[in-house]
Amino acid sequence: MVVSFAVANCHGEDAVPGIAKEKPADGPFVKVDDGYMVPYAFRIPGTDKTIDMIPVPGGEFQLGSPEGEVGRREDEGPQITVKVDPMWVAKTEVTWGQYKEYMDLYAIFKDFEADGVRAVNDGNKVDAITAPTELYEPTFTFEYGQDPKQPAVTMTQYSAQQFTKWLSLVSGQQYRLPTEAEWEYAARGGTKTAYSWGDSAGDIDDYAWYFDNADDGQVPVASKKPNPFGLYDMHGNVAEWTVNAYTEDGYAGFADQKDLNAVDVVVWPEFPSPCVLRGGSWEFDAEDLRSSARLASNDEEWKADDPNFPRSPWWLTSDPSRGVGFRVFRSYKPLAQDKITKFWEAQAEDTILDVKSRIEGGRGGMGLVDKDLPKAIEDAKK
């Protein structure tokens, strides 16, 4: 169990968050070319909210579950060997305290639009994001609470992607959702067992919130033990979005390929669903929280109570989406622009068209994001 961290000194314009020049005396670290990857607390510019990032070493692992694993499903194989590069992973799932800062951008962007401030056009649209519309029925999303330390829930994969684009453009660092392979590698924490603590679910109450012990929905993050990498709630609490489309045949499409890198083990979505979530939630049984377990999203069912047409690109309205959240990742080496863009933007044509319809109809908020955005927001409030 990780009990103390050496935190990088990230002050100064040229400092790279999470990189220390000297080897830390204690806490987790990863040796890299330009020093040591260490934990760091990232303050979202313009807010008082922080996200704690933990260094995860690179390595090689078997993606998926072995045939003899208890609870295994066919979509968890065939196992394939995948290389994973060093990365930082958020210590916890994104919380309401963090996500509501993104939600607040909707009203801000609508005000900017009305005032002709920071207008979005074809020339700068690449640096724009959409913000989630105000909740049609907030009692559903917030039924089990909206404590700042609870995981945020009921957002779509697209909305989670746009959240990470906002973090990235406002900070100058690349934050994003993970691929399935990156998520599973982080969840395993170097283990080969069904759960990060072993093959038996016997100790699950020490590490996870799930059906048998979570009576009141999602629970404040980091209230159980972390996995070997120091990451909390990788099993249970809320299921976490990845960028992958769901594939019934698991990893068969990659089985004949060699030298696979986790960032490339992706089937990009052609449709809004099914896409893959990992980790299981407070609503699920123990076997659904295994490191290799996959959950396929279902827009038809998860948006069944959405009265909008088209249905919201940002929000889910029906269970099990109250157990749906996400966590942010950051590669040690930044991804090429064309690749990182795929992590930030919708790939499914139907989602792209739904967003366009909402924006053009005045039912969505879009705004530019850069390092000047916090100052522009501050000025607008004067």
Side-chain angles (χ1 to χ4, degrees), residues 126-148:
V126 66
D127 294 325
I129 66 163
T130 63
T133 54
E134 295 174 348
L135 286 161
Y136 172 76
E137 181 48 82
T139 56
F140 171 79
T141 293
F142 297 143
E143 180 173 353
Y144 295 108
Q146 50 183 311
D147 185 283

Side-chain angles (χ1 to χ4, degrees), residues 62 137 161 199 256 287:
Q62 293 289 299
E137 181 48 82
Q161 288 176 289
D199 279 318
D256 295 331
E287 67 179 28

Side-chain angles (χ1 to χ4, degrees), residues 2-7 24 26-30 37-39 54-56 228-230:
V2 178
V3 294
S4 63
F5 295 143
V7 180
D26 57 15
F29 65 86
V30 177
M37 294 172 60
V38 295
I54 305 299
V56 169
F229 284 155

